[in-house]
Amino acid sequence: MNRRVVITSEAAITPIGDSKNTIAKNLQNGVSGVKPLRKDDLLGSHIHSGVYGTVDYPIEYDFARKYRKTMGPVSYYACKVVWDLLAKAGLNQDFISSGRLGVAFGSIHGSPSVQRNIYRTFFQDDPAQSEKISAVDYLKSMVHTTAVNITKMFNITGRVISSSTACTTSSQSIGYGYEMVKYGMQDAMICGGADEYDTTTVAVFDNLLACSTAYNNRPHLTPRPFDADRDGLVVGEGAGAVLLEEYEFARNRGANIIGEVIGFSCNNNGGDLILPNLEGICQTIRIGLQSAGISPETVDFVSAHATATKMGDVIESQAIEQIYGNCTPVTAFKSYMGHTMAACGVIETILTLYMMEKGFIVPTLNLDHIDPRCEGVNHVRELTRAPIKTAAVENFAFGGVNTNLIIKAFLP
Amino acid sequence: MTREELQTEVYKIFREQFEIENPGPDEDLKDMHGFDSIDAIELLIELEKILDVSLNQETKKDAMLHIRTVNQICDYVQELMPRQVPSNQNAV
C-alpha cells in the first residue's frame, strides 16, 4: 500500500502570532518574537542568556474542567492548536472517533512547570508535604501528556505516537503520521508538537554554552542564523499541528487541501549526542529526497534547522551546499521566534505552507554579514515573490537525530 | 459538624473545585456529571482539609467504592469522622 498523503488543516501558536494572517504579516514585515527572558523564582537571574522566544499575547481557552484537570501548560497549547485545527478541518465526530484517525504529538519533556512543583514538594523531605503531590500531576507532566490530552478532549480512538526527541519531536510526528497514512494503518493523523515556557531548558543550553548571550538588551537582534556575529540559540515556546489525510478520503469529503507530504527521512548520527555531523545530515537529506522520488533540483525552498549555534549552522550550510548546490533558496525561520523546541518542526512546516499558498519567501532575519563558512548556499536576504512547489524542512536534534520532510504544493 | 453543614461544604467543593452545580443528593455523580476516580481522589483531599483529619490509604481506597452520590459522600464522612485522627497526628 502506498497512498498519497495530503495536508488539510493547520494551526499554530508562535511567538509571532497564532493566526495565518498575523504570522504571515509578521514574517513579511520582519517582526521578531524574541523578548527578554521573564523573571521567575528559579534560575532566571543566574542564566547568562536573557532572551526568549515568547508568546506574550492572550490566548482564549474554552476547556471544561473535565479536560483541564489533567492538563499542564504544554497541553493547553497542544489542545488549543488541535481545537483550532479541527474547527477548520470539518471532520465529523463519527470519523474522529472511528479509530481511523490517530495522533502523533509530543513535547521535549512533558510539562516542566508541573514537574518542578512535584520535585519542590518531594525534596522538602516531609511526609505530610508529599501528600500535596496531586493525583493528576503525573497525567499533567508525563512525556506523552500532550498526545493523550488531545485524544481525551476530542474522543480520538486511533493510534497514538508521542515522539520526544528534542528538536525533531514534531518533525518526527509529521513523518511518522505520514507513514501511518501512506501505508494504510490510519486514514488521517493529527501531527504536531508543543512546548511551554520553561527556564530550565534555557539553563541546560546555557550551561552547554549554546545559548545567545550578547543581545540580552536587544532581543530582536538574536538569534542570527548563518550570521558572522551569531552567538547561539534562543529558546522559545509554542505549538503547532497539521492534519494529514489520505488523498481520496480528503477529496471525497471535499476537504480543503493545502499541501502534500511526499517524503520523509529520519536517521541518527550513530555517535556523538551533541555535535552536528555532516555525514549524518547529508544522509538524511538524501534519504528524504529518495523517499519522495525527486532529485535535489526539484526542491525550490529549504527551511533550514539553523539554530544559530557556531558549529551547527556551518555543518548545515555544508550539507545543503553538498546536496542542493548554491541555487535553492534557504531560510532559517528560527530567526523570527527562536527555537520552539518540540514545536519547531511543525511550525516551520506550517510557515512553509503559508509561503507556498501566498507565493513569497521570507529572508533569514538578522543575517547582516554571512559567516564565510556558511556562504556556499543561497541565503534569502530579502522578501521575495516566488512560487514554492516543493520544499524541504530540515530538523536536527540532540541525540544525533536528523529528519527531512518533503512537502509539495497540492496538484490534483 | 452537622449533616446540613457537611452537605453545604460538599456542595461548595463540587461548585468551586469540580464546576458541578448543585447535583441532586442521590444523583450518580459519575454517570450524570462525569465525576471520575481522579475527581474522587481530589475530593478526599478537600474533605481532609475541611475536616482537619488525615485519611489513611486503606480508608481512601474503601471510600472510592462508596462515594457515587452526594448523600453517600456525607454518609461516609459522618461514619468515618470518629475513627479518624487530627491531621497533626499520624494517620491510622
Side-chain angles (χ1 to χ4, degrees):
Chain A
M1 191 173 285
N2 194 351
R3 312 191 298 175
R4 287 179 73 182
V5 182
V6 292
I7 307 168
T8 54
S9 189
E10 46 64 39
I13 296 170
T14 81
I16 59 168
D18 61 353
S19 70
K20 179 162 66 177
N21 286 343
T22 304
I23 293 170
K25 188 181 72 177
N26 285 333
L27 284 175
Q28 290 174 320
N29 292 333
V31 173
S32 168
V34 177
K35 305 285 168 54
L37 190 69
R38 284 176 231 162
K39 303 288 182 199
D40 62 20
D41 59 350
L42 295 164
L43 297 169
S45 56
H46 302 286
I47 295 172
H48 300 91
S49 182
V51 288
Y52 197 89
T54 303
V55 174
D56 62 356
Y57 47 85
I59 299 173
E60 287 186 17
Y61 300 104
D62 188 20
F63 302 150
R65 182 192 170 274
K66 64 179 176 177
Y67 304 119
R68 296 198 315 269
K69 68 186 177 188
T70 53
M71 294 166 63
V74 70
S75 293
Y76 275 77
Y77 274 177
C79 288
K80 173 63 175 167
V81 291
V82 174
W83 180 291
D84 292 344
L85 171 140
L86 286 175
K88 288 189 278 190
L91 290 172
N92 66 50
Q93 190 61 50
D94 284 347
F95 175 73
I96 290 172
S97 301
S98 68
R100 297 301 297 168
L101 169 70
V103 172
F105 214 100
S107 59
I108 66 169
H109 43 200
S111 176
S113 58
V114 176
Q115 290 160 359
R116 196 177 301 137
N117 286 334
I118 295 172
Y119 293 129
R120 183 179 286 139
T121 304
F122 192 74
F123 285 115
Q124 287 182 354
D125 197 23
D126 175 355
Q129 292 295 318
S130 74
E131 299 280 323
K132 290 183 179 173
I133 295 174
S134 163
V136 291
D137 279 352
Y138 177 63
L139 299 172
K140 288 179 178 178
S141 65
M142 59 195 183
V143 172
H144 59 312
T145 186
T146 54
V148 294
N149 272 292
I150 291 166
T151 60
K152 180 183 176 190
M153 182 172 288
F154 303 102
N155 195 17
I156 296 169
T157 59
R159 290 195 172 199
V160 173
I161 301 170
S162 192
S163 295
S164 182
T165 55
C167 320
T168 50
T169 294
S170 60
S171 56
Q172 280 194 330
S173 295
I174 299 172
Y176 294 149
Y178 160 70
E179 291 174 345
M180 284 292 114
V181 177
K182 180 179 181 179
Y183 297 118
M185 285 85 163
Q186 300 277 259
D187 292 326
M189 290 288 291
I190 293 169
C191 309
D195 264 314
E196 66 188 53
Y197 177 82
D198 176 35
T199 44
T200 56
T201 306
V202 185
V204 167
F205 283 106
D206 200 56
N207 284 342
L208 284 164
L209 309 178
C211 275
S212 174
T213 58
Y215 300 91
N216 289 350
N217 296 323
R218 299 164 294 163
H220 65 287
L221 296 181
T222 191
R224 309 175 65 84
F226 304 119
D227 187 81
D229 294 323
R230 71 189 181 282
D231 72 328
L233 63 84
V234 174
V235 178
E237 62 186 317
V242 292
L243 176 62
L244 307 185
E245 293 183 54
E246 191 273 322
Y247 169 57
E248 292 297 336
F249 175 77
R251 189 172 65 91
N252 288 338
R253 75 178 190 88
N256 176 35
I257 299 174
I258 56 177
E260 182 170 1
V261 183
I262 61 169
F264 170 66
S265 62
C266 177
N267 73 347
N268 194 275
N269 295 330
D272 196 282
L273 298 186
I274 294 177
L275 292 176
N277 180 298
L278 179 61
E279 189 181 339
I281 289 173
C282 284
Q283 187 66 2
T284 204
I285 295 173
R286 283 194 200 95
I287 298 170
L289 293 170
Q290 286 166 8
S291 148
I294 60 173
S295 63
E297 295 74 29
T298 307
V299 173
D300 40 32
F301 174 71
V302 172
S303 165
H305 185 63
T307 61
T309 56
K310 287 290 181 194
M311 284 314 298
D313 288 10
V314 172
I315 298 296
E316 185 171 9
S317 297
Q318 291 172 352
I320 293 170
E321 184 181 5
Q322 273 195 29
I323 308 292
Y324 295 105
N326 61 1
C327 292
T328 309
V330 176
T331 297
F333 287 121
K334 291 181 181 70
S335 60
Y336 290 81
M337 61 188 71
H339 190 334
T340 55
M341 296 288 141
C344 75
V346 66
I347 287 176
E348 289 158 12
T349 299
I350 290 169
L351 302 190
T352 302
L353 288 168
Y354 292 166
M355 296 200 311
M356 262 182 184
E357 178 194 331
K358 294 177 183 291
F360 68 90
I361 301 177
V362 295
T364 297
L365 271 191
N366 301 321
L367 184 49
D368 296 333
H369 304 98
I370 299 174
D371 181 335
R373 295 170 297 171
C374 302
E375 276 181 340
V377 304
N378 179 15
H379 293 291
V380 181
R381 307 293 298 277
E382 60 185 12
L383 181 62
T384 307
R385 302 297 310 182
I388 301 173
K389 292 179 182 167
T390 307
V393 180
E394 302 177 352
N395 292 105
F396 318 123
F398 270 10
V401 183
N402 308 307
T403 63
N404 187 23
L405 278 165
I406 310 294
I407 58 175
K408 188 178 170 187
F410 175 67
L411 293 170
Chain B
M1 183 179 284
T2 66
R3 172 81 177 200
E4 194 175 334
E5 288 168 338
L6 176 59
Q7 193 157 314
T8 301
E9 289 295 337
V10 170
Y11 275 119
K12 187 173 174 221
I13 293 169
F14 273 94
R15 188 171 58 250
E16 293 179 357
Q17 300 293 324
F18 303 118
E19 297 178 8
I20 297 173
E21 288 286 344
N22 298 322
D26 293 310
E27 283 179 2
D28 188 300
L29 293 164
K30 183 171 187 294
D31 291 347
M32 298 192 66
H33 300 283
F35 183 82
D36 61 16
S37 58
I38 292 171
D39 295 324
I41 292 169
E42 298 281 324
L43 172 68
L44 291 171
I45 293 169
E46 292 302 316
L47 291 173
E48 285 181 314
K49 289 180 197 165
I50 289 167
L51 303 173
D52 193 25
V53 297
S54 181
L55 303 175
N56 63 38
Q57 288 223 329
E58 288 308 311
T59 304
K60 286 180 181 176
K61 286 177 189 171
D62 188 41
M64 297 283 284
L65 302 173
H66 296 89
I67 50 174
R68 293 185 68 92
T69 70
V70 170
N71 268 340
Q72 287 174 348
I73 292 167
C74 294
D75 291 344
Y76 204 76
V77 170
Q78 286 193 310
E79 184 191 333
L80 279 175
M81 282 176 66
R83 295 179 7 216
Q84 294 301 314
V85 295
S87 59
N88 59 355
Q89 297 175 29
N90 290 334
V92 290

